Amino acid sequence: MRRLSIVLAAVGLVAAACGPTTGGPAASSSTAASAAPVRGGTFILALWQEPVTLAPHYRNQTAANVAARVVTEGLARTDTDGNYVPWLAKQIPTTTNGGVKLTSDGKMDVNWELQPGLKWSDGDPVTSADIKFTWQVWMKDPNTISRTGFDQIESIDTPNDTTAVVHYKAIYAPYPLNFSDGLLPKHVLENVPDIGKHDYNRKPIGTGPFKITEFVAGDHITGERNPNYRIAGKPYLDKIIFKSVPSREVAVAQLKAGEINGMWNLLEAQTPDLEKLTDIKMVITPSPSVERIEMNTAKNQDMTDPSSTHPVLGDINVRRALIYATPKQSVIDKLLFGKAKPGTSPVSQGWASPKSLTQESYDPAKAKQLLDQAGWVPGSDGIRSKGGARASLSITTTTGDQTRERVEQILIEEFKNIGVELKIQNQPSSVLLSGSWSAGDPRKRGSFDLVMYASSPGIDPHSVVFQRYYSKNIPSSANGGNGQNYTRFKNADADKAIEEAGATLDLEKRKTAYATALKLLNDAAVINWMYERAGIDATRVNVVGWQGNVWDNITWNTEDWYLKPS
Amino acid sequence: MGTYITRRLLQAIPLLLGISVVSFAILKAVPGGPLAAYESNPNVTDEDLRRLEHTFGLDQPLPVQYLGWLSKFLVGDWGYSFVSHQPVLGLIGERLPNTVTLMGTVFLTVLVLAIPIGVLTAVKQYSWFDHLVTGATFAFLSTPTFWLGLLLIIAFGLQLKLFPLGGMATLGMPFDPIDRLRHLILPVATIALVQLGSHVRYLRASMLETITQDYMRTARAKGLSERSLVVRHALKNAAIPLVTVVALDLPELFVGALVTEQIFGWPGMGRLFWDSATRSDYPVLMGILAVSSALIVFANLLADVVYGYLDPRIRFS
């Protein structure tokens, strides 16, 4: 373990000191201010994906998170400005307020205080024992999706009913959101050997504004007002129903027909149609998802040797030329109806986002010039070559994605224009994005030239930056296919910056370190950041309180929602 | 007859085992796998993926995975969904009534309509009615259900606003048979129109063959009314091939309609299969495949037995 005396210096977390004591971030919502809220009514929200489980440690679908958000709550969450704010906790523990203590042996203690008087929806009190129990289940249940963070915890002490002291094995910077997926009720699950078989899977007992009263698989999930909700007078709605619909198109039709009040997650292509309607409004929220084209710098072959060099993409001039030849803005205008922004880095939102970072912008003349200078000479068919290597590349993305397939067509034309041949070699997402060495993910195995897909970091970008751009995380047969550094990017300075960012709690230092690493990544021109996608949701116009949150699901503030009589 | 049925049942055992081996192999041969769903989750690490792979038993050799599934399946443990972590039997159990409602309505609708239409088209061969029905049945037979379903939604749901756009019931209301019926009409019409075509064609062909038989001429010569001739003498014989067709429809009652359930958001077995297939949820898929293959094998047996009973010329040996 690294010994870090530097971090003992003054450390400040964004918004740490000023968190509201009770009521959570909901109180800051601007929408409640206007007219007097209307109490009562049923809100029907369409999901085109069917939530299969609402248990916090089993959820892996966005739709399930959207539904479960009204029930399960954690210790802290993220507000609309990207600040950590307390949820069930009294405040965010920091080194400044004494909630976080770094011990001399390089470990870390986090002291969480629960708000007083919290109750589960069945009336039992929420205690610090539930916090400890949550960690235990997360580590014990073999079906838990991700143990990230929880596996850094050594032990948890519960000196009294409202205090839990979490002992981390080492400094763990993303601790504020460690318990944000939802606390598990000890009194309900303590003696349950297999939560998969338990009713909790579908009707979790939580602390949120609603409690699940009905779960009809494949059809709908009903939440009714939680009588034990901690904020008096809320939620305004009597009921919220999550309706499974077969597709986004059907959801749009039902929204137009007034059968539903709101829908989650539209495609950009659906926006022009809805913009014309006066009884429907859209909420567009930036999202951390960044579409990118990753370029393989090692040889394109199965179980590639990471130290090998790609005959074409091994040359940084080619990689830079390809980025120069990509018309991002026109792709956004034509294919995404202007609802996206050109990308510059994998961390597009939040405190860690390096806002000043740039990338080569569209300039085909510059691209040609670069290739000429580097000795890539056009042949009789216009395709360049150098030393026997022909500038012919394949591009792989997920099959059946119309937008991506059209982007490929545009790139074929643009790249041909600068003398680079591009061939489409798409694969189903279950293969391309399997993330599994044994399932033959070409990104893992290194059997690709260019691969186009989207990925998003959490508000604390550490695990993503570490997994994807740290040199030890280059997957190869030697390391059992570990890591997601698919471009085989290797830079000692970037490694050092990433290590630094993970070993301090000082947000300013971490931010600088990420900026350094991501700048080096862009300098190496291994990833072409295509565009930053927005989250698009839509409601009927009489819906009040619906507000996007970059780092949270659209249902993050349902306690504030109400329906104006129309 | 008893020994015949016993023999057929015994034969079904290796057949069903064979089907399960092939199903398993095909599922596994599909590239990708259940872990793909976790890739986009920024919190999921390689360590998590390897743990889940182990929990699901995906790290074992295929024959071991298959035998593990089979040995549990035979004692009634159908396993757990990889995605919802719920028992497969429970997942199937909650979808089955919905599918039986949908497909049972289709089944009855088709039978009630197919018999009179099939008979009429045969009796009035080459009449305008026959031409109309023949044209229509061919049109529906060659229409893909996904297209027909969407067309019906656009016409009767979106434009005319006569029926709801999908789902099984109006949300937030107590159960109401009229409401259920309104939700049933479009999906039932989608499947029934296509099935009706084939059943009418069967019955028409079989009727045409029957009414030109010698015994029909004899009956007519005896002075029987045309009505009793058709209903009592012709239909009885002509309907025998239809029995086979209908018996073979029976598995669909439980297996559901893959495409139609998807289009109309009907929470039945077809939709469960579809969703599980897109997620490579092997335990659920194997459960449904086992049920459907068993149903098909037994429906075949049933068809043969009933056929022999109705037609004494058929001998079981």
Side-chain angles (χ1 to χ4, degrees), chain A residues 144 146 148 197 202 246 483, chain B residues 37 39 43 46 51 80 94 262:
Chain A
T144 300
S146 167
T148 301
K197 280 186 200 161
R202 289 180 163 182
Chain B
E39 206 276 341
N43 286 325
D46 281 1
R51 171 174 49 80
Y80 291 83
E94 68 189 357
Q262 190 62 26

Side-chain angles (χ1 to χ4, degrees), chain A residues 50 58 60 142-148 196-197 201-202 217-218 220 246 430-431 433 438 443-444 456 482-483, chain B residues 31-32 37-39 41-43 46 48 51-53 55 80 83-86 94-95 171 262-263 267 271 275:
Chain A
E50 181 202 334
Y58 290 164
N60 188 54
N143 286 321
T144 300
I145 301 298
S146 167
R147 288 181 179 160
T148 301
K197 280 186 200 161
N201 219 341
R202 289 180 163 182
H220 70 276
S430 60
V431 180
L433 306 180
S438 56
R443 299 170 308 167
K444 283 254 180 199
S456 37
N482 235 337
Chain B
Y38 303 113
E39 206 276 341
N41 183 337
N43 286 325
D46 281 1
D48 289 322
R51 171 174 49 80
L52 289 168
E53 199 170 21
T55 307
Y80 291 83
V83 190
S84 68
H85 306 300
Q86 300 207 332
E94 68 189 357
R95 303 292 184 120
L171 292 180
Q262 190 62 26
I263 293 173
R271 189 131 177 255
D275 288 342

Side-chain angles (χ1 to χ4, degrees), chain A residues 101 131 164 200 357 420 431 541:
Chain A
K101 289 195 183 76
I131 299 179
Y200 180 84
L357 195 58
V420 175
V431 180
V541 279

